[in-house]
Amino acid sequence: MGADHTENLDGVDPAQYGDRIADVYDEWFPGATAGREEPETMAEVLAGLAGSGPALELGIGTGRVALPLAARGVPVSGIDASGRMVARMRAKPGGDTVPVAIGDFVDVAASGGPFSVVYVVFNTFFVLLSQDDQVRCFANVARRLRPGGVFVMEAFRPDPTLYDRGQRVAVNTLDGDELRLSAAVHDPATQRVRARTVSVTEGRVRIYPVELRYAWPSELDLMARLAGMTLVSRHAGWHGEPFTAGSLTHVSVWQVVGG
């Protein structure tokens, strides 16, 4: 049995993750996942926040949100670490019209702006693996927003109870000839999760690595405050559902103070 594997499982970065998963990303995550809304719904909310102003997506990937947002008349730019993910977007209708900077989105170094909306979805903010980088990203976002502009983030609410003795294994797919498993280890001291998705299909094993540094909603609010932004709304989803102790995800919106 052949196997694709990474050489350095302790040093996974966003480019490595994106380059490896690009070919199956849209197949695995075609729409709503883990209680999240369809990209069309997300684009509708973001378009309402952007108005006629430009928007910037951090971690634009295959364009699942950016393209329906652009189709609503909002000028969209993006940043992504993975050239292969962006190439998938380029192959889609309208994908060749979205300007994308290839690199680490922590610096928010993209063309265009100042922006009405900077947004990051699908937990992508957590690929910044240190608190320092997360704080720096907030500060750089604030600098790229126009007066009244907002920073929108969709992320999971951390739940350490998911991990038994610091680890978790789950079956994601058992369908036909494909078995897909996810395995993760959790370090509560650093708020880090190291995960691997293992896909077994027709005698082939493929491993997709990802690492996250999660942050609590209150911690994100403090990062925003340090950057000169304030929380204006937090909901459990894109339809404005109340955010409660039982919410699995949150959609948070911060605005530059005085904007």
Side-chain angles (χ1 to χ4, degrees):
M1 184 185 301
D4 294 340
H5 63 280
T6 58
E7 296 298 329
N8 179 9
L9 295 183
D10 291 321
V12 176
D13 60 29
Q16 183 181 20
Y17 167 76
D19 286 350
R20 292 182 68 83
I21 205 170
D23 291 340
V24 296
Y25 188 82
D26 287 334
E27 175 187 349
W28 284 7
F29 309 108
T33 59
R36 292 175 175 80
E37 301 297 335
E38 293 283 352
E40 290 286 348
T41 301
M42 301 161 68
E44 188 69 25
V45 173
L46 291 167
L49 292 169
S52 61
L56 172 65
E57 179 169 0
L58 308 182
I60 195 170
T62 63
R64 292 195 303 134
V65 178
L67 294 182
L69 179 58
R72 286 164 169 77
V74 177
V76 182
S77 300
I79 305 174
D80 204 276
S82 170
R84 292 196 66 200
M85 290 283 271
V86 174
R88 299 284 291 190
M89 182 185 71
R90 295 283 185 234
K92 298 177 181 179
D96 58 347
T97 66
V98 177
V100 178
I102 301 297
D104 189 342
F105 69 71
V106 68
D107 294 319
V108 197
S111 61
F115 298 97
S116 291
V117 173
V118 177
Y119 67 96
V120 58
V121 296
F122 301 125
N123 309 315
T124 302
F125 183 76
F126 294 158
V127 302
L128 300 179
L129 296 180
S130 72
Q131 188 182 69
D132 284 347
D133 277 352
Q134 292 176 356
V135 168
R136 184 155 59 97
C137 184
F138 264 89
N140 288 328
V141 166
R143 294 187 187 101
R144 299 304 307 276
L145 286 171
R146 61 174 52 173
V150 295
F151 182 29
V152 183
M153 181 187 302
E154 178 200 40
F156 63 79
R157 178 186 62 81
D159 183 2
T161 66
L162 294 174
Y163 302 92
D164 178 16
R165 290 167 292 181
Q167 56 189 286
R168 175 181 173 87
V169 178
V171 177
N172 298 332
T173 297
L174 183 57
D175 183 26
D177 294 329
E178 182 183 12
L179 167 65
R180 197 186 318 147
L181 304 170
S182 61
V185 292
H186 173 229
D187 181 355
T190 60
Q191 299 174 202
R192 292 278 292 271
V193 175
R194 298 176 56 226
R196 305 292 179 263
T197 297
V198 182
S199 174
V200 183
T201 177
E202 297 181 349
R204 184 183 182 191
V205 178
R206 289 173 291 177
I207 300 176
Y208 301 92
V210 63
E211 298 194 14
L212 304 173
R213 191 269 174 187
Y214 63 80
W216 301 90
S218 58
E219 185 181 3
L220 296 170
D221 291 343
L222 181 56
M223 294 181 192
R225 183 180 301 179
L226 292 171
M229 294 188 283
T230 187
L231 180 72
V232 294
S233 69
R234 171 167 293 130
H235 297 101
W238 293 90
H239 289 287
E241 305 92 327
F243 179 73
T244 69
S247 300
L248 300 178
T249 62
H250 64 92
V251 177
S252 298
V253 181
W254 298 275
Q255 187 174 48
V256 176
V257 174

